[in-house]
Amino acid sequence: MPLVSLEELPCSYLEQEKYLKIKEQAYEKHSLREILESTIKNNFRNPGEVSEFENNFINVSERYLLAAKKFSWLNENSAGYWLWCYLRNESAQFFPHQVRARFHEKHIFNPFNGELLNEDAENFLPQNYDHTGLTKSPNNYSELLDSIIGFFDHWIIALVYKKKALDILKSKWSFLLKWEAENGKPFAFLDKNDKEGGEWCWEYFRKKVTVIRWGQFQPASTLERYSYLTAIFYVWDVLPEARKVFLTDINRAWSQRKFRISQNDRKAFQTYMKEDTKRKLLELSKVNGMKINEVLEAIINDAYSSSLNLSK
C-alpha cells in the first residue's frame, strides 16, 4: 500500500500523468532520485513544464524537509552514532503520540496542498526506524548520516515539529556530553582495535542491560562495535547514578579479566626455606620494589642464563 502519495490533484485525468505520484514504498535518496528522473523523462517534453515541476517539488521540499545545517552537530562521529542508535532503539517512544502514524491505506497525506485527505488521518511518521525501510547496517559514517536524515524526511509534518524534535535530541546529547566530561568516557579502558575485548564488553553490557533492543544492532567490524558501545550506553535511559554504578562494575570486571589472562601462563609453586633465607628474600623484595614471586623469577632466570653462558 502507498504510505505517502505526492499528487497535485490536477483538473483532468489526462493531466494526472504530468505529476509525480509515489505509489510504492521508496525510501532512500537514490531510489527517489530515479523516480524523479524517470517522471521528468516520461511525462515532460516542454522545458517550461520541467522547470515548473522542479520548482514545485523544491517548494514542497522546503516546507517539509529540514535543512542540512540542522544536522551539522552530527559531524562528530560519536553524536551521529548515538542518534542513529537512539532512533533504532527509541524512535517509537520518543515522538509524541499525536504525530505518530496510524497505518491505514486511507490515511494518505497530500503535501502539495498541505491537507489531510481524511479528517481522522494523522500525520505520517514511522512507528520506529525499522518501518522506514532505511538501511539497518550502514556501510560507513556517511551512509549512517543519510539514514538519520532519511528518517526525518519520512516524517511528513510541519517543519516546526521536526525542528522541535531535533532540538530536543541535540539538547539531550549536550547533556550527555556534560555528564561524560564530569564522569569520564565510558569504556575508556578499551582499545578500539581490541576485537576480543570489544566482544567481551558487548556481552557484559548485553547481559547487564536487557532493556536495550540488542537485536537492532549488528556491528560489522571491531571499530563499529566500539562506536556502538558508547552510543548504546548513552541511549540507555537510566538515572545518572545507575550509569556510575555500571561503569564501576564493568571496570572492576575488566580488571579481573585482565588479571586472569595474566595468570594463564603462571603455575602455583610451593616450597620450604629457612627463616633466614625467607628474611633475605623479603628484604630483596622491599629494596627492589618487587613482589616475592617476581624476585624469585628474576633470581632463577639470572642463574639460568649464567649457567648457559658458562657451559658454552
Side-chain angles (χ1 to χ4, degrees):
M1 75 179 183
L3 292 183
V4 180
S5 177
L6 300 179
E7 295 187 2
E8 180 62 37
L9 301 180
C11 58
S12 74
Y13 175 79
L14 293 177
E15 290 183 0
Q16 287 187 16
E17 295 306 316
K18 292 184 179 181
Y19 297 90
L20 176 64
K21 298 182 290 297
I22 301 178
K23 291 300 187 182
E24 295 181 1
Q25 297 175 7
Y27 299 96
E28 47 91 23
K29 62 183 181 181
H30 301 293
S31 296
L32 291 172
R33 185 179 293 117
E34 290 177 0
I35 292 175
L36 278 172
E37 292 174 350
S38 175
T39 299
I40 293 173
K41 179 180 178 180
N42 297 330
N43 296 287
F44 298 99
R45 298 292 182 266
N46 187 310
E49 290 182 334
V50 173
S51 179
E52 181 183 358
F53 174 84
E54 291 177 343
N55 289 335
N56 191 23
F57 193 86
I58 290 172
N59 290 336
V60 171
S61 298
E62 289 177 346
R63 283 159 52 195
Y64 295 100
L65 303 183
L66 289 168
K69 64 182 180 180
K70 292 292 292 183
F71 297 92
S72 61
W73 58 283
L74 300 178
N75 289 336
E76 180 189 353
N77 282 31
S78 56
Y81 273 104
W82 168 76
L83 183 51
W84 188 79
C85 290
Y86 188 94
L87 295 176
R88 293 298 310 275
N89 192 72
E90 298 285 353
S91 54
Q93 290 74 39
F94 172 76
F95 295 99
H97 174 73
Q98 63 268 26
V99 295
R100 291 184 193 167
R102 281 161 49 181
F103 286 89
H104 195 284
E105 190 168 3
K106 68 178 182 178
H107 293 164
I108 301 175
F109 183 67
N110 179 7
F112 278 88
N113 60 20
E115 297 176 358
L116 292 172
L117 301 186
N118 296 88
E119 292 182 359
D120 62 336
E122 294 183 6
N123 296 304
F124 168 66
L125 171 70
Q127 288 283 347
N128 55 51
Y129 183 96
D130 286 348
H131 289 165
T132 65
L134 292 163
T135 180
K136 298 177 182 178
S137 301
N139 293 314
N140 49 56
Y141 191 69
S142 176
E143 190 171 309
L144 181 143
L145 289 181
D146 284 345
S147 298
I148 292 173
I149 295 171
F151 181 88
F152 278 86
D153 287 350
H154 279 74
W155 188 5
I156 307 300
I157 195 171
L159 273 178
V160 63
Y161 294 107
K162 289 189 181 185
K163 289 177 180 177
K164 182 178 180 180
L166 194 59
D167 287 343
I168 290 174
L169 290 167
K170 184 179 179 181
S171 297
K172 187 178 181 71
W173 176 245
S174 297
F175 173 82
L176 292 169
L177 285 182
K178 182 180 178 180
W179 185 91
E180 182 177 290
E182 295 173 353
N183 297 277
K185 189 176 181 64
F187 308 101
F189 54 80
L190 178 63
D191 186 320
K192 62 183 179 181
N193 295 308
D194 183 355
K195 182 176 184 294
E196 292 184 4
E199 292 174 349
W200 180 88
C201 288
W202 187 270
E203 285 304 306
Y204 183 94
F205 196 3
R206 186 179 63 82
K207 291 177 181 178
K208 289 288 185 179
V209 181
T210 58
V211 294
I212 295 295
R213 300 169 64 207
W214 289 98
Q216 303 290 318
F217 308 107
Q218 302 295 331
S221 67
T222 300
L223 287 175
E224 192 169 80
R225 187 185 300 277
Y226 179 83
S227 297
Y228 281 3
L229 277 169
T230 301
I232 295 172
F233 176 78
Y234 286 132
V235 166
W236 180 26
D237 187 13
V238 71
L239 293 173
E241 291 75 15
R243 292 189 192 280
K244 293 180 182 179
V245 170
F246 173 83
L247 290 181
T248 299
D249 290 345
I250 194 172
N251 273 279
R252 184 186 298 113
W254 177 263
S255 297
Q256 293 172 348
R257 172 181 176 270
K258 283 186 64 178
F259 177 77
R260 288 194 298 271
I261 292 175
S262 69
Q263 298 301 310
N264 283 342
D265 62 342
R266 297 177 181 272
K267 302 296 182 182
F269 180 74
Q270 185 175 2
T271 187
Y272 296 93
M273 63 180 64
K274 295 180 179 179
E275 281 292 333
D276 187 53
T277 303
K278 182 179 180 181
R279 178 185 59 77
K280 293 177 181 178
L281 181 60
L282 291 172
E283 288 182 5
L284 285 173
S285 173
K286 184 177 181 180
V287 170
N288 291 280
M290 301 168 66
K291 296 178 181 179
I292 291 177
N293 65 298
E294 292 173 339
V295 174
L296 286 173
E297 286 183 2
I299 292 173
I300 293 171
N301 288 332
D302 288 344
Y304 183 76
S305 297
S306 298
S307 65
L308 288 180
N309 291 332
L310 292 173
S311 64
K312 290 181 180 178

